[in-house]
Amino acid sequence: MLIKILVIVALLAIVSSLFSGLLFLYKDRSGSDRVVKALTVRVAISVILFLLLMAGYYFGLIPAQGVFR
C-alpha cells in the first residue's frame, strides 16, 4: 500500500513540475532559467520513480502480474 501512495505522489509531482515549467515558459520573458530548473526537477523525479519501481519489484513489494508471470 505504501508503494502505491509513493507512486501516486511522485506522478503528481511530475505533472505539477511539468505544468510549472509550461507556466514559466509562457509567463517568464526575462530570460531566467526557471523553465530549465522545473524540467530538471521533472526528469529527476521521473528517474527516482523508475528506480523506486525497479527496487520495489526486486524486493517483492510489487508482485508480478499479467501474462508473463
Side-chain angles (χ1 to χ4, degrees), residues 11-24:
L11 288 175
L12 289 175
I14 290 168
V15 170
S16 67
S17 177
L18 183 65
F19 281 115
S20 70
L22 180 66
L23 180 71
F24 292 148

Side-chain angles (χ1 to χ4, degrees), residues 3 8 17 20 32 34 41 49 69:
I3 195 79
I8 291 171
S17 177
S20 70
S32 68
R34 293 194 302 178
V41 168
L49 177 62
R69 189 169 72 154

Side-chain angles (χ1 to χ4, degrees), residues 10-52:
L11 288 175
L12 289 175
I14 290 168
V15 170
S16 67
S17 177
L18 183 65
F19 281 115
S20 70
L22 180 66
L23 180 71
F24 292 148
L25 182 66
Y26 281 117
K27 297 288 182 181
D28 191 16
R29 298 292 180 192
S30 65
S32 68
D33 59 346
R34 293 194 302 178
V35 175
V36 175
K37 287 181 182 177
L39 295 179
T40 303
V41 168
R42 183 185 66 87
V43 169
I45 294 171
S46 298
V47 169
I48 290 170
L49 177 62
F50 179 73
L51 293 175
L52 176 71

